[in-house]
């Protein structure tokens, strides 16, 4: 059996930068990104152009990666505005990036309370935003925020958001456990159901570690059909952190059952660099390496 290809998406420089006490400089970001590129990461999410000076400058010129794709993060266009009349979205389209990852509300409660628009208007924003990214010649991705909570509350609507993104041309539809409260068996069940609507090779998983299940949830999602993995080096991230790529990557390569079923761009030879990558981040953050960290 030919192993299924898994794509690794690192969000250390964006989601990880939201960690309390973390403030990456432009050179910090470039150093970490070069390390991730050497390791074999497929996508490197650099930040949110327009949100701050560092991220704006990072995307002012093309990234010089060997194999990785640079990703800019942003929001779908605002409801009630056209794509061309949303300055924030237009600024995102100007970013020098290979791909753009848009965050979208997939829980109808948040559509109503946070966005203050109708469910239909939110779907229109997703559709038009993805189409605009595709038309710009970049790879489009959608992070379905609070997807698992939204799915439990209103299955039909959460699926509608994901399916709208896929049908509009999104290369990846990423299912996000934004508050980190979903358990592995729930992840498995829900991802398997979503995979009957959207092909697994277009599904991604993004988990947070608020119940210490981010790595387990990620592996459960992969086994259920997701083929893109989002996470951060050393589990960096807001609150309790993101899924720890420093643990996930060796597990995928060293556990025979997973190694037979899946492959990544991190070869066994490149895996030898995982400790170096972990230490680079510790050095940038002026932290001592965690003595109890797995693998590294």
């Amino acid at each position: 059996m030919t192993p299924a290809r898994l794509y690794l998406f690192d969000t250390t420089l964006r989601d990880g930068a939201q960690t309390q006490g973390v403030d990456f400089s432009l050179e910090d970001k470039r150093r970490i990104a070069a390390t991730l590129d050497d390791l074999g990461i497929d996508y490197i999410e650099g930040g949110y152009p327009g949100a701050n000076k560092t991220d704006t400058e990072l995307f002012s010129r093309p990234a010089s990666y060997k194999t990785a794709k640079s990703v800019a993060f942003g929001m779908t266009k605002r409801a009630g505005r056209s794509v061309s009349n949303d300055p924030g979205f237009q600024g995102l389209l100007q970013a020098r990036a290979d791909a753009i990852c848009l965050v979208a509300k997939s829980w109808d409660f948040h559509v109503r309370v946070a966005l203050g628009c109708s469910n239909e208007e939110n779907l229109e924003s997703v559709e038009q935003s993805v189409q605009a990214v595709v038309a710009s010649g970049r790879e489009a991705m959608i992070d379905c925020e609070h997807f698992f909570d939204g799915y439990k509350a209103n299955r039909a609507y959460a699926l509608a958001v994901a399916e709208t993104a896929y049908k509009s041309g999104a290369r990846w539809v990423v299912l996000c456990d934004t508050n980190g409260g979903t358990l592995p068996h729930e992840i498995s069940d829900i991802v398997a159901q979503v995979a009957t609507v959207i092909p697994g090779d277009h599904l991604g998983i993004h988990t947070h570690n608020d119940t210490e299940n981010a790595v387990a949830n990620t592996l459960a999602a992969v086994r259920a059909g997701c083929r893109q993995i989002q996470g951060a080096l050393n589990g960096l991230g807001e609150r309790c952190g993101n899924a720890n790529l420093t643990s996930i990557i060796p597990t995928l390569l060293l556990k025979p059952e997973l190694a037979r079923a899946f492959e990544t761009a991190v070869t066994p030879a490149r895996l030898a660099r995982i400790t170096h990558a972990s230490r680079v981040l510790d050095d940038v953050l002026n932290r001592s390496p965690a003595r109890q960290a797995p693998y590294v």
Side-chain angles (χ1 to χ4, degrees):
M1 184 180 70
T2 303
R5 177 71 155 88
L6 299 180
Y7 294 83
L8 301 173
F9 181 114
D10 183 274
T11 186
T12 304
L13 304 180
R14 199 275 302 176
D15 218 354
Q18 298 184 62
T19 307
Q20 185 175 8
V22 171
D23 184 17
F24 293 128
S25 68
L26 182 61
E27 290 309 311
D28 290 338
K29 288 202 169 196
R30 287 176 175 161
R31 180 185 176 193
I32 295 168
T35 302
L36 294 168
D37 188 31
D38 286 339
L39 182 61
I41 300 299
D42 297 288
Y43 297 97
I44 299 172
E45 188 176 49
Y48 192 155
N52 57 70
K53 182 179 178 181
T54 298
D55 288 359
T56 301
E57 189 172 350
L58 182 69
F59 289 103
S60 65
R61 66 183 189 187
S64 56
Y65 301 149
K66 299 171 185 174
T67 57
K69 292 183 178 181
S70 63
V71 184
F73 176 86
M75 297 175 64
T76 56
K77 78 165 190 69
R78 287 179 286 176
R81 285 180 177 260
S82 65
V83 165
S84 61
N85 194 34
D86 186 324
F89 189 82
Q90 283 300 308
L92 184 61
L93 290 180
Q94 301 307 311
R96 306 292 291 274
D98 301 309
I100 294 177
C101 185
L102 301 169
V103 63
K105 302 294 185 187
S106 58
W107 188 356
D108 60 347
F109 169 72
H110 285 159
V111 173
R112 183 177 70 254
V113 174
L115 297 183
C117 67
S118 69
N119 288 350
E120 292 71 25
E121 286 175 315
N122 184 52
L123 292 177
E124 289 173 3
S125 291
V126 170
E127 178 183 26
Q128 294 172 18
S129 299
V130 171
Q131 290 174 344
V133 172
V134 173
S136 74
R138 264 77 65 81
E139 191 171 316
M141 310 182 199
I142 282 282
D143 274 2
C144 294
E145 188 181 42
H146 287 282
F147 180 82
F148 294 94
D149 296 300
Y151 189 94
K152 294 174 188 177
N154 186 337
R155 177 182 183 274
Y157 187 70
L159 278 176
V161 173
E163 193 170 11
T164 296
Y166 173 62
K167 289 183 175 179
S168 300
R171 170 63 183 91
W172 293 106
V173 178
V174 183
L175 311 180
C176 301
D177 184 30
T178 308
N179 68 11
T182 311
L183 298 176
H185 69 281
E186 296 176 300
I187 295 281
S188 294
D189 291 344
I190 292 173
V191 170
Q193 293 171 44
V194 176
T196 66
V197 178
I198 299 172
D201 60 1
H202 286 267
L203 286 177
I205 183 68
H206 178 116
T207 64
H208 284 259
N209 204 36
D210 298 72
T211 58
E212 199 69 27
N213 278 294
V215 170
N217 282 343
T218 297
L219 296 175
V222 167
R223 289 174 58 87
C226 287
R227 295 296 177 259
Q228 188 203 82
I229 293 171
Q230 294 196 0
L233 279 179
N234 297 349
L236 200 67
E238 59 181 332
R239 305 187 315 276
C240 302
N242 285 55
N244 188 350
L245 287 182
T246 315
S247 295
I248 291 170
I249 293 170
T251 299
L252 290 172
L253 270 72
L254 299 176
K255 289 296 182 181
E257 176 187 352
L258 295 173
R260 286 192 297 267
F262 307 106
E263 65 179 3
T264 71
V266 181
T267 62
R270 282 179 159 178
L271 183 61
R273 306 173 190 173
I274 193 78
T275 298
H276 172 71
S278 174
R279 298 290 189 266
V280 165
L281 181 60
D282 288 331
D283 185 56
V284 167
L285 298 177
N286 196 27
R287 294 178 175 178
S288 298
R291 292 183 179 275
Q292 293 178 309
Y295 299 111
V296 298

